[in-house]
Amino acid sequence: MPQLKDAAYWRAQSTDLLVEARAFIAGAYVGASDGETFAVHSPIDGRELAQVALCRGPEVDRAVAAARGAFQGGGWAELMPRQRKAALLRWAALMRAHAEELALLETLDTGKPIGDTTAVDIPSAIYCLEWFAELVDKVAGEVPACDPQFLGTVTREPVGVVAAIVPWNYPLLMAAWKFAPALAAGNSVILKPSEKSPLSALRIAGLAREAGIPEGVFNVVPGDGETGRLLSLHPHIDCLAFTGSGAVGRQISRNAADSNLKRVWLELGGKSANIVMADCPDLRRAAQAAAAAVFSNMGQVCSAGSRLLVQRSIAEAFIAELLEAARAYLPGDPLDPASVTGSLIDDAQYQRVRHYIELGKREARLLLGGEGCAVVPGGHYLQPTIFATDASSRIAREEVFGPVLSVIEFDELDDAIALANASEYGLAAAFWSADLGAIRRASRGLRAGTVWVNCYDELLDMNFPFGGFKESGNGRDNSVHALDKYSELKSTIIRC
């Protein structure tokens, strides 16, 4: 009889779990040259998970040299696309075989529920790798029309050495969004995971080796902001892809300009608006989606629907539905499969969100929550929190990155679109209405990279590009368009 995978099962698994804490460079796990490490603690209860190698200049230089050597050697970049596809699919299959281990690492490292990591995070990362593996042998060049005396071709070539600096909120998934298209395109990759959540990235490096990814093609250098700075300044990195804060994104762009003008792609913050019109076809479903949009993953989502704009005539009825829906997001033990939400990533993030909640109590009207929760000693748990406010408050303008929702009332459609666009961010938005004309006006008028209609954060499929307008960044992850970030186009013109 199969063993029930309840909280006791996952706690037992976490006790026996082996954690790889060394960097992965040139096909081998290695410690830092000076022996330096940094501690990684679990947000669940604060316990130390590992002492991880702290990569600095020597390790970054070694990783870049390995990646450059692998790229110039052609053992990956010059493979037939179907051969790269086969290797990436072998890697994905190994990740699938180790999915439970990876999910547990992700839960221990981030404090998110095991139900999420087993059902969403790890399967989505594997799907991303499989999707780009399957794409790579189906992307063709061009033969443009030209003078009959000439034959011209446009071909796609890998850019070279790609550095990927990824965040802690979806560690393996955000990494896959970068390394999967970069590797599929024929590049060598240096992955720098967040110092708050490096463990799953280090584990999959060994699986890459087992899958036959050549030495130097995939490297992982754990470290802190200084490690990222060294990568952004390195003259032999051709491209850097980053997901994180606007402040760090700006500094990376400056560093790239000050070094070799490496190509930089940024996916930054968001303050996404979720607009509910009076003719919304299903208020209860919209309220449930609005709660999920901001309280899932404890609100630590760049596209979280943290601004809820509700037409005034239905505001009272909608808020009643919303308060009921929000109560389903009280945090629980992340190792319990029944838990819907878990812990914030660390004490610094907990204190940041608490600071915004205190601001909200002064600026706005508290409707729900606003306090911490005693779930697991040593963890960082917060109640789902809702404020009624206007658009001028700081909680309605600034990215909180926590389970805090600002509800703002409006009168007319044009007011809602103007409020939604009155932000430096433009990552995502949603619009709820039964009026096709209003839907068309809103979807065209909202300055956001993704617009959901009568849903929120659904069908975030690999076929759709993901990224933002304005200060939410540049470039797009996912879809065939992601290959553009990691490729150069070459025109070849032949006189016949």
Side-chain angles (χ1 to χ4, degrees):
M1 183 175 180
Q3 186 175 3
L4 178 65
K5 294 182 180 178
D6 56 7
Y9 171 84
W10 290 109
R11 291 190 192 104
Q13 292 295 107
S14 69
T15 301
D16 298 334
L17 186 66
L18 296 176
V19 175
E20 178 56 69
R22 295 169 293 172
F24 189 83
I25 299 173
Y29 284 110
V30 294
S33 58
D34 59 5
E36 287 295 307
T37 61
F38 63 94
V40 173
H41 295 91
S42 176
I44 295 175
D45 52 14
R47 70 182 173 98
E48 184 177 300
L49 297 172
Q51 287 284 334
V52 177
L54 178 59
C55 293
R56 286 289 187 253
E59 291 72 49
V60 168
D61 287 342
R62 284 182 61 198
V64 174
R68 175 63 61 192
F71 179 72
Q72 293 178 342
W76 181 255
E78 295 178 13
L79 280 180
M80 291 179 63
R82 68 183 183 187
Q83 292 175 302
R84 289 204 301 274
K85 167 184 171 178
L88 294 175
L89 289 176
R90 286 195 300 271
W91 191 15
L94 286 167
M95 288 170 60
R96 194 174 300 281
H98 291 267
E100 186 174 292
E101 175 192 357
L102 293 171
L104 183 55
L105 282 171
E106 206 89 319
T107 288
L108 292 172
D109 222 3
T110 65
K112 63 174 61 187
I114 191 70
D116 283 359
T117 57
T118 54
V120 180
D121 296 51
I122 302 307
S124 296
I126 295 168
Y127 167 53
C128 175
L129 183 55
E130 290 172 334
W131 195 92
F132 280 105
E134 292 287 359
L135 173 68
V136 68
D137 63 348
K138 301 170 184 67
V139 178
E142 305 169 28
V143 181
C146 62
D147 188 308
Q149 298 180 75
F150 297 89
L151 172 66
T153 63
V154 179
T155 52
R156 186 190 295 269
E157 298 184 2
V159 70
V161 176
V162 174
I165 301 177
V166 298
W168 45 260
N169 57 336
Y170 290 90
L172 193 54
L173 180 57
M174 294 295 98
W177 282 14
K178 313 297 188 193
F179 70 69
L183 291 172
N187 298 283
S188 297
V189 170
I190 301 165
L191 174 62
K192 190 268 173 195
S194 169
E195 63 272 27
K196 298 180 182 183
S197 57
L199 300 183
S200 58
L202 292 169
R203 180 65 185 99
I204 66 163
L207 299 179
R209 177 177 60 191
E210 189 176 341
I213 306 296
E215 292 181 7
V217 170
F218 183 72
N219 308 272
V220 182
V221 288
D224 54 14
E226 173 63 13
T227 313
R229 188 187 74 85
L230 293 169
L231 289 168
S232 67
L233 285 167
H234 205 288
H236 300 305
I237 289 175
D238 302 294
C239 172
L240 191 151
F242 170 76
T243 294
S245 72
V248 175
R250 284 180 169 83
Q251 188 58 57
I252 284 173
S253 294
R254 285 191 285 267
N255 292 347
D258 289 342
S259 54
N260 62 335
L261 277 176
K262 61 179 62 64
R263 186 182 302 183
V264 173
W265 302 109
L266 304 172
E267 199 265 276
L268 306 175
K271 192 69 178 177
S272 298
N274 186 9
I275 302 169
V276 182
M277 301 295 292
D279 68 343
C280 168
D282 188 335
L283 284 185
R284 176 166 294 178
R285 186 163 67 88
Q288 292 170 344
V294 70
F295 299 133
S296 295
N297 203 39
M298 293 300 289
Q300 299 170 132
V301 184
C302 55
S303 57
S306 54
R307 288 187 295 156
L308 178 62
L309 311 183
V310 183
Q311 198 158 22
R312 201 176 308 277
S313 61
I314 60 163
E316 184 176 351
F318 189 82
I319 288 171
E321 293 280 4
L322 174 67
L323 294 176
E324 182 63 28
R327 292 186 175 92
Y329 290 87
L330 283 169
D333 180 354
L335 290 173
D336 186 343
S339 295
V340 177
T341 60
S343 171
L344 291 167
I345 188 67
D346 60 13
D347 185 62
Q349 185 66 14
Y350 179 84
Q351 296 302 332
R352 170 186 164 83
V353 178
R354 289 301 302 263
H355 170 70
Y356 274 105
I357 289 173
E358 294 307 311
L359 281 176
K361 289 177 179 179
R362 297 196 295 270
E363 296 178 321
R365 180 164 58 94
L366 180 65
L367 300 179
L368 184 73
E371 301 297 333
C373 296
V375 177
V376 180
H380 310 287
Y381 302 88
L382 272 176
Q383 298 173 351
T385 299
I386 302 175
F387 288 99
T389 185
D390 60 37
S392 65
S393 67
R394 285 185 61 185
I395 57 169
R397 291 184 289 109
E398 299 178 15
E399 186 176 32
V400 178
F401 222 64
V404 179
L405 177 62
S406 296
V407 182
I408 304 166
E409 297 181 20
F410 68 89
D411 292 306
E412 302 296 336
L413 172 59
D414 288 344
D415 301 328
I417 294 173
L419 283 169
N421 289 339
S423 171
E424 67 264 37
Y425 299 116
L427 189 55
F431 187 74
W432 297 77
S433 173
D435 184 337
L436 185 58
I439 289 170
R440 184 175 183 277
R441 283 174 59 195
S443 62
R444 289 174 61 88
L446 290 166
R447 298 285 293 165
T450 298
V451 178
W452 290 287
V453 177
N454 293 332
C455 61
Y456 200 104
D457 202 12
E458 293 187 33
L459 198 65
L460 194 58
D461 190 89
M462 292 306 303
N463 292 289
F464 292 88
F466 182 84
F469 291 18
K470 299 186 284 186
E471 293 185 30
S472 286
N474 56 39
R476 293 295 183 268
D477 289 319
N478 304 344
S479 81
V480 66
H481 302 285
L483 289 181
D484 296 338
K485 295 163 58 173
Y486 307 111
S487 304
E488 296 284 11
L489 292 179
K490 177 177 286 184
S491 297
T492 301
I493 301 166
I494 305 167
R495 178 181 286 275
C496 300

